[in-house]
Amino acid sequence: MPMGNYLFTSESVSEGHPDKVSDRISDAVVDAYLTADPMSRVACETLCTTNRIVLAGEVRGPDSVTHEQIEEMARHCVKEIGYEQDGFHWKNAEVNIYLHRQSADIAMGVDSSGNKDEGAGDQGIMFGYACTETDVLMPAPIHYSHAILKSLAEARHSGAEPGLGPDSKSQVTLQYENDRPVCATSVVVSTQHHEDLTQEQIREIVRPHVVNVLPDGWMCPEEEFYVNPTGRFVIGGPDGDCGLTGRKIIVDTYGGSSPHGGGAFSGKDPSKVDRSAAYAARYVAKNVVAAGLADKCVLQVSYAIGVAKPLSVYVNTMGTGKVDEAKLSEVIQQIVNLSPRGIREHLKLNRPIYARTSAYGHFGRQPDSDGGFSWEKTDIADALKSAFS
């Protein structure tokens, strides 16, 4: 194919996917501690399998958040998702909690003291990305993959489609011409369902959710529309496959359209740059694109554990930039303090806003009135634009 003409695929998974059940529980624990004390430290991992939920990790926060509360929260998460099945039921699952105090050695490096600013919670690299393919400045394949599953989930929760189960996956392949998406060439949707429904019935339940999500005229050919290609998907969720926190990092971000630093988000408080710096990188990249300075923007930041300043801030506009990238990097750092403390304060991250991020992507969402998805605001676009006017 000529340069700029290609196929690109991204996938999404629903809130009922085993890994997403785990992410939801871990983020509910983060929210509980931040509600009790905004400066709490949490690193919570969750495993879900047949009628068993195991939480483990490190915390530093008030004793008012008890194991009994955490167990109740875990059950509530499973109930809200919709699991009341023999192999995984919010009421009957055994819940084991192994959360202990945060390492004093880690705390010493991260905490501010004397003339020392708050350091990064770990070393690592984080990426942010934005592009003009959709109105939310996200890559189109992951945007539509999320939207299909969100539409199915809303129909299930409302009772409009009672035959659907919580566990589902989608995959959208788009045709690009001159580096712009123009149509879908294939769509795959696998969804858990009631045992009385046939594959053809499920196909027709799913069809309108795909057609309504994709732009007009973008629906793939009929022979490339795959629904439950194995033929049956009754056993699902943690009863069908073990779930773990942090295993869907590409689903959580850009669907493979951008590099990824490798760190997961869920279960981590905002002192962990795996989470907060990835949010900040998306925030900056989105504002660069919103300001009209580029059609695509990748931002990389890097950190050392215990060190406040980022070690590097790299900007790549992928040949679409309208300004000098080296100067753009300097301007970004003048406008946004990319230290761990600076990020937390600028985006106001020390709030219980994380359980809602655990499914359908951390990016491309609408900012909430209570501060959720604050990294999706474009409130520094004018400042960026002014720096180059």
Side-chain angles (χ1 to χ4, degrees):
M1 285 186 178
M3 187 65 68
N5 297 347
Y6 53 90
L7 302 180
F8 194 86
T9 304
S10 294
E11 71 154 348
S12 179
V13 299
S14 73
E15 67 205 60
H17 185 281
D19 296 331
K20 286 287 142 200
V21 176
S22 296
D23 285 346
R24 172 74 168 273
I25 293 169
S26 293
D27 275 337
V29 173
V30 174
D31 283 353
Y33 273 98
L34 293 179
T35 298
D37 179 358
M39 299 307 293
S40 293
R41 300 282 168 78
V42 183
C44 177
E45 313 293 340
T46 302
L47 175 149
C48 294
T49 186
T50 302
N51 272 333
R52 185 181 293 271
I53 301 168
V54 181
L55 295 87
E58 304 80 46
V59 298
R60 189 176 77 191
D63 293 336
S64 60
V65 183
T66 65
H67 281 196
E68 289 75 19
Q69 278 183 289
I70 292 171
E71 177 178 340
E72 185 178 343
M73 282 186 298
R75 295 189 187 279
H76 179 71
C77 289
V78 174
K79 184 178 182 180
E80 276 201 330
I81 291 168
Y83 278 112
E84 296 185 342
Q85 301 167 3
D86 289 343
F88 196 69
H89 196 295
W90 65 270
K91 185 184 292 184
N92 302 329
E94 183 177 344
V95 179
N96 302 111
I97 300 171
Y98 304 99
L99 294 170
H100 59 82
R101 303 293 292 179
Q102 182 189 45
S103 160
D105 290 347
I106 293 176
M108 179 176 63
V110 176
D111 291 347
S112 58
S113 60
N115 294 324
K116 175 185 174 298
D117 197 0
E118 177 183 318
D122 202 351
Q123 71 175 46
I125 57 175
M126 297 85 208
F127 287 91
Y129 180 66
C131 63
T132 57
E133 292 180 16
T134 61
D135 58 356
V136 292
L137 305 185
M138 283 289 286
I142 188 68
H143 175 71
Y144 295 127
S145 293
H146 287 323
I148 290 167
L149 295 187
K150 200 165 186 182
S151 180
L152 287 169
E154 288 168 356
R156 177 174 61 85
H157 284 300
S158 72
E161 295 295 350
L164 297 178
D167 192 359
S168 58
K169 303 177 77 171
S170 65
Q171 184 172 287
V172 174
T173 301
L174 297 184
Q175 170 74 52
Y176 283 72
E177 294 180 1
N178 297 318
D179 213 29
R180 300 293 298 179
V182 296
C183 67
T185 60
S186 67
V187 175
V188 185
V189 179
S190 296
T191 180
Q192 190 181 12
H193 60 88
H194 192 278
E195 59 185 353
D196 292 340
L197 293 174
T198 66
Q199 184 182 22
E200 189 56 37
Q201 287 173 316
I202 295 296
R203 183 185 185 88
E204 295 313 310
I205 289 172
V206 168
R207 183 188 302 277
H209 295 275
V210 177
V211 172
N212 292 338
V213 159
L214 293 175
D216 288 344
W218 278 38
M219 184 60 179
C220 64
E222 187 65 18
E223 64 272 16
E224 296 295 330
F225 179 41
Y226 303 97
V227 177
N228 285 8
T230 65
R232 178 180 165 88
F233 188 2
V234 174
I235 299 171
D239 187 32
D241 189 14
C242 181
L244 293 170
T245 300
R247 282 205 301 199
K248 287 293 177 284
I249 57 176
I250 301 302
V251 170
D252 284 344
T253 53
Y254 308 103
S257 294
S258 167
H260 194 293
F265 304 155
S266 289
K268 298 175 181 177
D269 74 82
S271 75
K272 278 73 172 174
V273 284
D274 273 346
R275 181 168 222 160
S276 57
Y279 290 173
R282 160 64 179 174
Y283 172 70
V284 169
K286 184 175 183 180
N287 275 270
V288 167
V289 173
L293 303 182
D295 292 332
K296 297 181 180 181
C297 181
V298 174
L299 188 92
Q300 185 210 57
V301 288
S302 66
Y303 296 88
I305 188 169
V307 178
K309 68 180 181 69
L311 306 185
S312 62
V313 179
Y314 164 77
V315 182
N316 183 353
T317 55
M318 306 175 75
T320 71
K322 293 142 177 96
V323 297
D324 179 71
E325 290 173 345
K327 183 180 178 183
L328 181 56
S329 176
E330 293 176 5
V331 168
I332 286 166
Q333 293 176 77
Q334 291 167 7
I335 294 174
V336 182
N337 179 354
L338 291 171
S339 71
R341 177 186 54 78
I343 292 169
R344 287 192 303 99
E345 292 179 354
H346 187 101
L347 297 178
K348 298 179 171 59
L349 296 179
N350 285 93
R351 295 188 275 192
I353 55 174
Y354 297 106
R356 71 194 74 171
T357 69
S358 62
Y360 313 116
H362 292 245
F363 308 127
R365 311 282 288 272
Q366 291 300 315
D368 294 325
S369 59
D370 67 351
F373 301 104
S374 60
W375 49 93
E376 290 298 312
K377 293 182 177 180
T378 53
D379 54 354
I380 60 168
D382 287 345
L384 288 167
K385 191 184 301 184
S386 296
F388 291 93
S389 60

